[in-house]
Amino acid sequence: DPTLTIRHPQPDEYGVENEPTYFEVVVSDSQDELNALLVVIESDVDGELCADYPDDSGLFVCDASLTLGEHSLLFTVVDSTDNMVSEALQYSVVPLTEIDNDGDGYSESEGDCDDTDSSVFPTGTEYPNEIDDDCDGTIDEETASYDDDGDCFCETEPCIGSAEVMCIELQSGDCDDTRPSTYPYAPEVCDSIDNNCNGVADEGTSCVDDDLDGFSEIDGDCDDNNPLTYPGAYEVADGQDNDCDNVIDEGTDNYDDDGDCYCEASTCLGSITTNCSNLSGDDCDDGDSDINPGVVEICDGTDNNCDGSTDEDTAIDAQVWYEDTDGDSFGNGNVAEIDCYQPNGYVLNGTDCDDTAFTVNPSRSEICNGIDDNCVDGIDEGVNQTFYADYDGDGYGDSSNPIYACSQPSNAVYNDGDCDDSSSSINPAQIEVCDGIDNDCDSDVDDSDNSLNLNSAPYWYSDGDNDGFGNPTVSLRQCSQPGGYVSNDDDCNDSTSAAQPGATETCDGIDNDCDNSIDETNASGCTTYSYDGDGDGYGNGSNTQCLCAPSGNYDVTNASDCYDSNGDARPGQSTWFSNHRGDGNFDYDCDNSATKRYNGGGGCGGWPGCSTNNGWNGGNPSCGNNGQWVTGCSTDWFSCDKNTQNRTQECR
């Protein structure tokens, strides 16, 4: 075999997009001339790259452009007798953007925005040179020639750019390029910063104490032109905010300090609240909003309405006191005084009906003495009793004839239940009978309800379906027949007239004839079902019942089963059987005959043809019996011999 050595490319080298790759191979062979050896270089992506013979020293070189990506290169040398040696090499061709052309440590794919200038790369230092040195998309930012805070001023000339795209003209002289509010000619504000870049901070602002009272505007002076006005100054009634707390004249007699819309002086200059549409004077306590000339006097030991009097009888909560002459704590409602406090000999209760008697007042108990002891509901109420006249002497009184007395009079009773006090046979203890009279005084003549005292009234039963037969569970007892009721209780279903004694039983899911059976055999509308004893879906035509629905084995309407004790015996059976169905018969398909599966005689033709005729050898056996079946014929020394096997005759 020849030999092959790859000199270029080496395993750690790679190619660059759109640049040819240089290949160098050295080959040798002990039998052939070196320039007679064929060298082939191939790529699994681009196919054959080079194919030629080396020079006399065995050196082979070529250039080839490869597609961008990963390549598996195969180097092969072949001698004159087709002996062959190959070497493989993995080789990558990378994009131009992944090459660091200027040697600054960054390629284009790594963010180098100018790969021809080694001073331009990400993280580079920005200079005022109108070049994006750090490749961040902004030119000359954070240099003295760039307006970084967007106020249209840079620090020194020339001004190259600005963070604010709306800056049409740029000027220099910015003394703090991090603050957009600091630039030449900016308005000076009170912030201890030189806003206008003139070297002085806060000039001309409110930070200066103009009236020399120790407070500037920034310190809270609300009038820096008046030395008597400053935080903490004494407030006077002059219409000015002397102490700079944003409240005018508070704490003076001319100011409503408690917010009740009244001040102490006769003229008011202001109020702590904004809810006063009018301000009035003469407040006698400007620290309590519940005390002023506009409130109502109450009994609290205070001059609430500032009229110079305390707790007068016109106070809103002054009470009415009643004279208690007999000292029983209950006063005479006709003799009264109004006062905040209890006068001597007076009480709050004015319900005494006799203020001359200590034993007569609402706390007393009524007794039978002809006096209204408790001052409630008249004389002897609750202690006298109500009786009712009993003229017929049956022990029941007439409610329309009450008698009031402390003890029971003669011919009077406690109860008032008699509805006819002229007849002793009419009262609540009597039994109602059908006689047109309210015997038991229940306001119902010949009661229509089910009262137990109706010993002479018949029972009536509800006939909800109007079929003339009553519901035994719904009844009432009264003298006359009510509408919708009958005298019998023979109906078994009072919700439909289709169910009543003597009706024809019908296949409708109810007991039509009231015999306690539903949809029994031979009911009207029934269906004839055959008995399917073997469950094959075919019934026995000699065993049927007319039913409203399938029941038990009476569940098929097909009556064509020829043997109902074997599920395999049924019309349409296509399977063959070697055993009888159970009764000695092989008629499985119910066609009235046992059909044999294998028929015809078998044998062999004469020599030399020796043809085969498949069939029974020596007669067709009966169903389920065995015989010899000719399966083939063979020649043997000028004869034709039969081949047979034992076979059982199957039938259906």
Side-chain angles (χ1 to χ4, degrees):
D1 292 338
T3 63
L4 179 147
T5 302
I6 303 172
R7 287 185 176 179
H8 196 276
Q10 291 299 305
D12 58 346
E13 294 180 343
Y14 58 85
V16 179
E17 179 184 14
N18 298 330
E19 293 184 7
T21 297
Y22 171 70
F23 295 99
E24 182 176 315
V25 176
V26 175
V27 297
S28 66
D29 190 81
S30 59
Q31 291 87 21
D32 288 348
E33 295 292 332
L34 296 181
N35 58 9
L37 301 175
L38 176 63
V39 178
V40 179
I41 303 175
E42 302 171 278
S43 164
D44 64 334
V45 177
D46 296 331
E48 185 178 288
L49 303 176
C50 304
D52 209 342
Y53 298 92
D55 62 14
D56 294 342
S57 66
L59 177 65
F60 176 84
V61 296
C62 74
D63 292 325
S65 294
L66 279 74
T67 303
L68 180 68
E70 298 294 325
H71 293 261
S72 179
L73 301 177
L74 185 65
F75 297 79
T76 304
V77 57
V78 183
D79 66 11
S80 61
T81 57
D82 292 332
N83 292 316
M84 179 186 305
V85 172
S86 297
E87 294 287 340
L89 177 68
Q90 293 300 119
Y91 186 69
S92 299
V93 178
V94 300
L96 286 172
T97 57
E98 294 183 6
I99 306 300
D100 179 17
N101 295 301
D102 55 11
D104 57 9
Y106 292 88
S107 65
E108 292 180 58
S109 63
E110 293 172 323
D112 198 335
C113 53
D114 187 351
D115 206 28
T116 64
D117 187 342
S118 61
S119 66
V120 176
F121 55 88
T123 73
T125 301
E126 195 73 31
Y127 298 97
N129 54 8
E130 299 189 33
I131 296 174
D132 184 9
D133 302 287
D134 56 3
C135 294
D136 64 351
T138 305
I139 298 173
D140 297 338
E141 78 280 4
E142 298 180 1
T143 68
S145 296
Y146 192 85
D147 171 27
D148 290 291
D149 57 11
D151 57 9
C152 302
F153 285 84
C154 70
E155 295 158 271
T156 60
E157 292 287 351
C159 291
I160 298 175
S162 173
E164 175 55 62
V165 297
M166 300 301 292
C167 291
I168 299 175
E169 180 180 354
L170 295 175
Q171 302 179 57
S172 61
D174 200 336
C175 55
D176 187 348
D177 206 28
T178 64
R179 296 177 182 271
S181 61
T182 300
Y183 54 87
Y185 320 118
E188 194 73 22
V189 295
C190 188
D191 57 2
S192 300
I193 296 174
D194 180 14
N195 304 98
N196 58 11
C197 295
N198 67 349
V200 182
D202 298 342
E203 75 277 10
T205 68
S206 59
C207 295
V208 180
D209 179 16
D210 295 314
D211 55 10
L212 303 178
D213 58 6
F215 294 87
S216 65
E217 290 182 42
I218 198 170
D219 296 324
D221 198 336
C222 53
D223 186 353
D224 207 27
N225 295 315
N226 186 351
L228 300 178
T229 300
Y230 54 86
Y234 184 74
E235 191 77 24
V236 295
D238 59 358
Q240 303 292 323
D241 182 11
N242 306 103
D243 56 3
C244 294
D245 64 352
N246 295 321
V247 182
I248 298 174
D249 298 335
E250 79 280 4
T252 69
D253 289 347
N254 298 85
Y255 191 84
D256 171 27
D257 291 293
D258 57 11
D260 58 5
C261 302
Y262 289 85
C263 69
E264 295 157 280
S266 59
T267 301
C268 300
L269 299 178
S271 174
I272 193 173
T273 179
T274 60
N275 296 326
C276 297
S277 59
N278 293 301
L279 290 173
S280 300
D282 302 323
D283 197 340
C284 54
D285 187 349
D286 205 28
D288 189 337
S289 61
D290 292 327
I291 298 176
N292 60 65
V295 301
V296 178
E297 188 74 18
I298 60 175
C299 297
D300 61 355
T302 302
D303 180 12
N304 307 96
N305 58 9
C306 297
D307 64 353
S309 299
T310 301
D311 296 343
E312 54 266 39
D313 60 9
T314 57
I316 191 172
D317 54 349
Q319 294 179 293
V320 179
W321 303 90
Y322 300 92
E323 183 180 36
D324 181 18
T325 302
D326 56 11
D328 60 2
S329 299
F330 293 88
N332 184 349
N334 298 316
V335 181
E337 289 186 10
I338 300 175
D339 205 311
C340 281
Y341 307 100
Q342 182 176 10
N344 187 34
Y346 282 76
V347 294
L348 287 173
N349 189 308
T351 59
D352 202 338
C353 56
D354 186 351
D355 200 35
T356 64
F358 182 82
T359 58
V360 176
N361 59 63
S363 68
R364 296 293 179 173
S365 297
E366 192 74 20
I367 60 176
C368 271
N369 58 2
I371 298 173
D372 184 8
D373 303 281
N374 60 3
C375 297
V376 177
D377 294 334
I379 298 173
D380 295 342
E381 83 287 347
V383 293
N384 63 9
Q385 302 178 68
T386 303
F387 300 91
Y388 301 92
D390 179 19
Y391 295 119
D392 58 9
D394 59 3
Y396 292 89
D398 182 0
S399 62
S400 64
N401 194 356
I403 301 173
Y404 304 101
C406 289
S407 60
Q408 183 176 3
S410 61
N411 296 324
V413 293
Y414 284 103
N415 73 72
D416 62 347
D418 205 337
C419 56
D420 186 350
D421 201 35
S422 64
S423 173
S424 60
S425 63
I426 298 176
N427 58 63
Q430 299 300 315
I431 297 175
E432 189 76 16
V433 295
C434 294
D435 59 359
I437 298 173
D438 181 11
N439 309 98
D440 56 4
C441 292
D442 65 353
S443 300
D444 195 349
V445 177
D446 295 344
D447 293 355
S448 59
D449 58 15
N450 290 323
S451 177
L452 294 177
N453 60 8
L454 289 174
N455 61 347
S456 62
Y459 284 98
W460 304 95
Y461 301 91
S462 174
D463 182 14
D465 54 10
N466 294 316
D467 59 0
F469 295 90
N471 184 349
T473 65
V474 181
S475 64
L476 56 80
R477 193 176 186 185
Q478 67 181 46
C479 295
S480 59
Q481 181 176 4
Y485 282 76
V486 294
S487 59
N488 73 79
D489 61 351
D490 298 330
D491 207 337
C492 58
N493 186 346
D494 202 36
S495 63
T496 174
S497 59
Q500 55 180 270
T504 300
E505 191 69 23
T506 304
C507 290
D508 56 3
I510 62 175
D511 181 11
N512 304 93
D513 54 5
C514 294
D515 64 352
N516 296 322
S517 296
I518 297 174
D519 294 347
E520 53 261 49
T521 303
N522 297 320
S524 176
C526 63
T527 300
T528 300
Y529 290 92
S530 296
Y531 187 87
D532 182 12
D534 53 15
D536 59 2
Y538 295 89
N540 183 351
S542 61
N543 188 359
T544 63
Q545 287 187 2
C546 193
L547 306 172
C548 291
S551 176
N553 290 102
Y554 292 95
D555 59 353
V556 297
T557 57
N558 188 311
S560 57
D561 203 339
C562 55
Y563 185 67
D564 201 34
S565 296
N566 188 329
D568 290 329
R570 61 181 183 271
Q573 178 63 268
S574 60
T575 302
W576 300 94
F577 299 88
S578 59
N579 295 312
H580 64 79
R581 64 190 187 185
D583 59 350
N585 196 322
F586 279 84
D587 181 14
Y588 276 90
D589 57 4
C590 295
D591 64 352
N592 295 321
S593 66
T595 304
K596 293 181 178 181
R597 181 177 183 180
Y598 306 108
N599 295 290
C604 298
W607 188 88
C610 200
S611 60
T612 299
N613 182 22
N614 298 111
W616 295 106
N617 183 34
N620 190 338
S622 300
C623 294
N625 292 330
N626 296 330
Q628 294 299 312
W629 182 266
V630 178
T631 60
C633 299
S634 60
T635 58
D636 183 26
W637 294 102
F638 306 105
S639 67
C640 184
D641 297 330
K642 298 177 184 176
N643 297 322
T644 64
Q645 67 177 17
N646 191 49
R647 175 172 291 183
T648 301
Q649 179 65 277
E650 296 177 347
C651 296
R652 68 181 179 204

